[in-house]
Amino acid sequence: MVALANIGLIPRPVHPTGVWSWLTTVDHKRIGLLYGFTALAFSILGGIESLIIRAQLAAPNQSIVSPETYNSLFTMHGTTMVFMVVMPAGAAFFNYMVPLQIGARDVAFPRLNAFSYWVFLFGALLMNFSFFVGAFPDIGWFGYAPLTTNEYTTTGATDYWLLGLQVMGIGSLAAGFNFAVTILNLRAPGMTLMRMPLFTWMTLIVAFLLILAFPPLTIALTFLLFDRFFDMNFFNVSAGADPLLWQHLFWIFGHPEVYVLILPAMGIVSDVLPTFSRKPLFGYPMIVFAGIVIGFLGFGVWAHHMFTTGLGGWASAAFAGSTMVIAVPTGVKLFNWLGTMWGGSLRFKTPMLFAVGFIAMFLLGGLSGVMHAVVPVDTQQQDTYFIVAHFHYVLVGGSIFGLMAGLYYWWPKMTGRMLSERLGKWHFWLMFAGFNITFFPMHFLGVIGMPRRIYTYDADQGWAALNALVSAGSLVLTFSVLLLLVNLAISLRRGEKAGDNPWEAPSLEWATSSPPHHYNFAVVPTVRSRYPLWDEEANVVEPPPLPPHEEPHMPSPSYWPLMLAFSIVMLAVGLLIWQWHALIGIGFIVVMMVLGLRSIYGWVYEPPAVEAPAAVHAHT
Amino acid sequence: MATEHIEAHEESHPGPRQYVIIGIILVVITGIEVGLFYIEANAALIVWLLILSSLAKFLIVVGFFMHLKFDDRRFALLFFFPLLIMVSLVVVLMALFSTLTR
Amino acid sequence: MYFDTTVDPHRTSTGLNNRKMLMWAFLGSDVLFFGTLIATHLVYRGQSLVGHQEDIFSIPITSISTFVLLMSSLAMVLALSGIQRGNLQTMRLWIAVTAIFGAIFVGFQMFEFHEFVQEGLTPRTNLFGSTFFTMTGFHGAHVTIGVIWLWSLFFASFKWKAGTETALHVEIAGLYWHFVDIVWVVIFGIVYLVGAYGAEDRLLPPVSALGG
Ligand SMILES: [Cu+2]
């Protein structure tokens, strides 16, 4: 409102604390915390959705929820966990850690970074807002057209789904550009590409995947939007449209998206393992190279999600082949991780437990993935619980375990306090057990024929016992997550103080204080090796914090990222209003376009920092 | 100082005169394309000639107007890597939808 | 490793400018936006059941608008050349020419859309209408944004001093502008000319020539 009140020259906000300081922040660490907190909040929502699903399926012929509600539950569980939990959790870590790991004071475009977060948050809220106006989306997380066109949907919830996803995608694209430039351009002196910590490397690859994979999704969503709002024909089969077009475009995005979800976890594990094995990463260049190959090949395997659509022999064979090939670099990574631990002096702290758990669980998920490269096997397993088991091993046993390793590893850096090891170990073992009890039986359920996305089943189908076991497992899993929340709360209140480098880790983020000053490093470090804090321990004494007048000039907070993100999500809202009343909707859209344009001009013409010295501009 | 800089610049970068020549070349290629369009001949030949002439114009604009020929190779990588992926996707999609043989 | 107090905070690791790298990364991404649109148009080629398709194109008129856009690209590079020589007047002149040519191109497109609608082809008519209007409309939106950007630079430039910083503003806008131009080169070549070649013979669209 302050920003709207005076349209003239608006001074940059200067609040050091309070709500406005968070709304206008451009500090990568604060933005990282915002992403992390948001991911945690949505994980509770997505978790509750999955618990209702498990309650409904715990016994045959139950009717805890209606079939329609059940559809909404699995749709929103999937969409929430992919786009509002795992992606922002990865973003939380790469926002917070990447600038620290490369010895930078912030990202290349701090305001763009804030914009990424706000536009993501608004998109997520818009999608979930559909709950308050009637119905939750019920179309599956992949939203297959033509089933999502007006003809086949009964509620307007699909509009919220597609607009929410579209808006969130803008945030992902912006984050991709920002982190690609940051990692390439903002490395400390001496930090060559091949000296970067693996987490930073994997973030770089993820950044390019976001840049390249989101456009096809954005265009596919635009087609669907035009079909639904303006009666166009992209998915209108009676006008000659191909019912597979959406599937192709969605999975061209969808498979790289899987790597967007898993590569940050792989990066975390590749940083955690050397630290707790006290030994350099085995085959560092091979892991980097494998990551690049995975990112590249990820664009050539999408049709393995479509083997049962009748692609034809040659096409199926080609995509089966590329899918088998992409398993090779993944296997290379697994052996490198084992090689890292081999002969190391292992310390099984909680981060290490999760990292090792990641290796084992991701291996299982990877192996069941390769099975789907075999077309006849895939045909047998398509749309059964075997697939559900497979991708939960990849996304929970893989991504979430990796992210948990990261949380336990970096929490002391982010808060300055240690987490309880005792609670942490309980958390790990309960989560490990609960996860396997929940998802391992699903393999069997799939093979004996239980289809996905059915809201109930009969007692005589022979699925009851395993389903009861699965539902029991989900309770154990839930309990373990509660232990995590307790652990976090205790740590914040009275956790043991963490020093600068509690794990004796080798990378730059541990060279500054915990939590770091807002300017990260009092002076910019110069790097001479891949493991600077191990190789030159004697030189690593972070100078004392700078007195206020000597602090480096950091970019000032700004209203405009928030305003621009707001105007963009309101454009989407304008489309929804348009459906209800054309004139009001168009008027609303015009107003929001003006606000958006105003925000862009405000953004471009505001000074880079409050009372920044003129010399600062010279080189930017 | 300033003039020295400009002279050094001139050696590697085209100047206005070269830009105008490049512009004329682009117009000529476009003229040839439109001419080809009105020729009744082997369809395959004409189609391939049209594709190649578009490619030529594309590379001339990218190379000279966007300076990629003279600029840092890493910029070229940022642009041509996505282009490679996209061209492959277009060809594969056309093959999958049987557009090429229809 | 040691802590160095002498590092210039504005130096980049690659020596490449942040904003220019951002623009190139964006253009790489935009390749996939336009590529997906063009791919969809191509795979739906000849699949429409009713209404006009490529036969509706007026190649002479589109050739003129293509010429206008090519010339705007020439004007753009002359503007950059001007400011790199420290001549703000030259730059301003050519920026204005670029923006005007861009606006003329958009005018041609609006005329074309209007004509098509008059002849009974709308985005709702058939597959061709949906893919064609969306693809070229997306391109037209890019040109429009470019025109707004160029006029913004034009008016902002009265407060400028010629130098590497201001030249970079023009260079980055130029990269965007030329990219929009090459997208049109592809659309004109592949969608218009290849698409419409032999359009009267609807049974055998010439793209089949590619597959032998
Ligand atoms: Cu896949």
Side-chain angles (χ1 to χ4, degrees), chain A residues 539-572:
Chain A
N539 294 323
V540 183
V541 182
E542 158 86 348
L546 298 168
H549 64 277
E550 278 180 31
E551 283 183 3
H553 267 287
M554 299 302 293
S556 300
S558 171
Y559 297 111
W560 300 118
L562 181 67
M563 294 308 291
L564 184 58
F566 176 77
S567 63
I568 285 176
V569 76
M570 283 300 142
L571 285 178

Side-chain angles (χ1 to χ4, degrees), chain A residues 262 357-369 385-402 431-444:
Chain A
I262 195 71
F358 164 93
I359 297 177
M361 296 301 96
F362 179 71
L363 173 66
L364 287 180
L367 286 177
S368 57
Y385 261 82
F386 193 91
I387 303 288
V388 182
H390 156 67
F391 68 70
H392 280 93
Y393 267 82
V394 174
L395 294 181
V396 183
S399 298
I400 302 273
F401 272 52
M431 190 165 184
F432 189 80
F435 166 73
N436 280 293
I437 299 171
T438 307
F439 294 105
F440 201 77
M442 287 187 185
H443 290 110
F444 300 116

Side-chain angles (χ1 to χ4, degrees), chain A residues 109 173 177 181 184-187 189 211-212 215-216 218-219 223 226 230-234 238-242 245 249 508 523-526 528 532 536 539-543 601 605 616-617 619-620, chain C residues 1-5 7-19 21-22 25-26 28-29 32-33 36-37 40 43-44 47-49 123-127 130-131 134 138 148 152 156 165 168:
Chain A
F109 305 98
L173 279 164
F177 296 131
V181 176
L184 291 175
N185 259 359
L186 262 57
R187 285 167 283 137
I211 290 172
L212 301 180
T218 306
I219 295 297
F223 290 165
F226 283 179
F230 307 119
D231 291 322
M232 291 199 198
N233 299 308
F234 291 102
S238 61
D242 194 310
L245 176 69
L249 297 183
L508 278 188
V523 283
V524 175
T526 298
R528 288 170 178 164
E536 295 183 67
N539 294 323
V540 183
V541 182
E542 158 86 348
Y601 279 104
Y605 288 111
V616 167
H617 305 282
H619 302 274
T620 44
Chain C
M1 188 189 100
Y2 66 101
F3 286 96
D4 188 349
T5 47
V7 179
D8 171 11
H10 298 287
R11 179 201 61 88
T12 68
S13 320
T14 54
L16 308 176
N17 177 273
N18 281 343
R19 280 163 50 211
M21 185 185 276
L22 177 74
F26 168 75
S29 184
L32 277 107
F33 276 102
T36 311
L37 287 164
T40 305
V43 299
Y44 272 175
Q47 297 299 93
S48 296
L49 304 179
R124 294 178 184 179
T125 308
N126 54 14
L127 293 183
S130 297
T131 59
T134 305
F138 193 69
I148 296 171
S152 305
E165 175 72 14
L168 190 69

Side-chain angles (χ1 to χ4, degrees), chain A residues 409-425:
Chain A
Y409 184 54
W410 283 317
W411 178 269
K413 177 54 63 183
M414 297 191 287
T415 63
R417 290 176 185 277
M418 303 298 286
L419 286 161
S420 153
E421 270 299 311
R422 216 161 68 91
L423 270 174
K425 290 202 163 93

Side-chain angles (χ1 to χ4, degrees), chain A residues 472-490:
Chain A
S474 69
L475 290 178
V476 180
L477 196 54
T478 309
F479 181 69
S480 75
V481 175
L482 292 179
L483 281 187
L484 168 70
L485 295 179
V486 170
N487 201 352
L488 298 183
I490 291 177

